[in-house]
Amino acid sequence: EGNEDKEDNIYYADFETCSQNITINGINTQQERAFMVCIQSLDGTVKHTFKGFDCAEQLMDYLPTKSIVYFHNLGFDGRLLMKHGVKSNIMKGSKIITQKHEYKGKHITFKDSYSVFPQKLASFPKAFKKEFQGLNIQKELFPYRYYSYDRVICGNCIGVISECGNDEIPKWTENKENNLKLTL
């Protein structure tokens, strides 16, 4: 795809997951399953979305060797990548700061942007006023709990937008629902 020739293979990425009810040793629990991961290059010219329960493997296959990929909270996202050739983790408590992989002969490094900017992404415009001056940027509204395992595996299921905020914690307000309708 031409990404092998880039001098700087630096990306930002984020996984989306759903909870699957499973039973382990007779105990009912939930397991987070990645169903989508999006990446963007540092300069914004490369944007790609990988879909399906094999999205982590698709991402690893796509990334060129010597890539550096930033996740905001690698402690979560890095655990979704554990079975894909982890060679080392640099940790601080339970947080993964850096995770290095050797995957199909490629060397790929994942880093945690949260360790550099320990705040929610939604607070960035306020924290970086000068950089965001004149821009109306806000973190997207996403119904994380609406995307259950059953909805994701359905494939062709059509959701009901008025229901998607009901399961969120806290439940979406009317203002958030109106904002969602405007962004769809």
Side-chain angles (χ1 to χ4, degrees), residues 55-80:
C55 62
E57 186 174 343
Q58 291 176 52
L59 172 68
M60 296 299 286
D61 286 337
Y62 175 81
L63 290 169
T65 194
K66 298 183 182 175
S67 289
I68 299 172
V69 182
Y70 288 90
F71 284 93
H72 202 66
N73 186 7
L74 185 60
F76 178 79
D77 300 279
R79 285 168 176 77
L80 301 170

Side-chain angles (χ1 to χ4, degrees), residues 3-166:
N3 59 349
E4 293 286 346
D5 297 329
K6 287 187 72 129
E7 286 186 27
D8 296 313
N9 294 311
I10 300 173
Y11 302 92
Y12 301 98
D14 188 32
F15 276 103
E16 297 302 339
T17 63
C18 61
S19 295
Q20 179 182 10
N21 294 322
I22 60 170
T23 302
I24 300 175
N25 298 327
I27 299 171
N28 293 331
T29 188
Q30 289 188 331
Q31 175 185 26
E32 289 298 313
R33 299 277 310 269
F35 67 87
M36 182 171 60
V37 61
C38 300
I39 65 167
Q40 178 177 311
S41 61
L42 179 64
D43 64 6
T45 59
V46 175
K47 296 176 184 175
H48 201 79
T49 299
F50 304 97
K51 299 175 185 175
F53 291 118
D54 65 340
C55 62
E57 186 174 343
Q58 291 176 52
L59 172 68
M60 296 299 286
D61 286 337
Y62 175 81
L63 290 169
T65 194
K66 298 183 182 175
S67 289
I68 299 172
V69 182
Y70 288 90
F71 284 93
H72 202 66
N73 186 7
L74 185 60
F76 178 79
D77 300 279
R79 285 168 176 77
L80 301 170
L81 294 160
M82 288 289 199
K83 66 179 183 178
H84 300 289
V86 173
K87 297 304 276 184
S88 67
N89 279 315
I90 297 173
M91 302 196 57
K92 183 175 183 179
S94 64
K95 296 178 182 173
I96 301 171
I97 306 301
T98 302
Q99 187 176 77
K100 295 189 179 222
H101 291 249
E102 188 174 314
Y103 180 82
K104 296 183 179 180
K106 300 187 289 186
H107 299 276
I108 300 168
T109 301
F110 296 100
K111 294 188 176 205
D112 184 18
S113 60
Y114 191 82
S115 64
V116 178
F117 301 108
Q119 55 189 309
K120 295 178 182 180
L121 291 174
S123 69
F124 274 34
K126 187 176 180 181
F128 299 101
K129 290 178 184 174
K130 182 179 177 185
E131 289 78 3
F132 287 90
Q133 185 176 9
L135 301 174
N136 183 17
I137 295 178
Q138 54 189 335
K139 189 175 182 315
E140 82 279 355
L141 185 60
F142 191 86
Y144 295 102
R145 297 176 61 89
Y146 188 72
Y147 284 91
S148 65
Y149 178 78
D150 291 336
R151 278 197 177 98
V152 172
I153 63 168
C154 176
N156 292 336
C157 294
I158 297 174
V160 178
I161 196 164
S162 62
E163 295 175 3
C164 68
N166 294 341

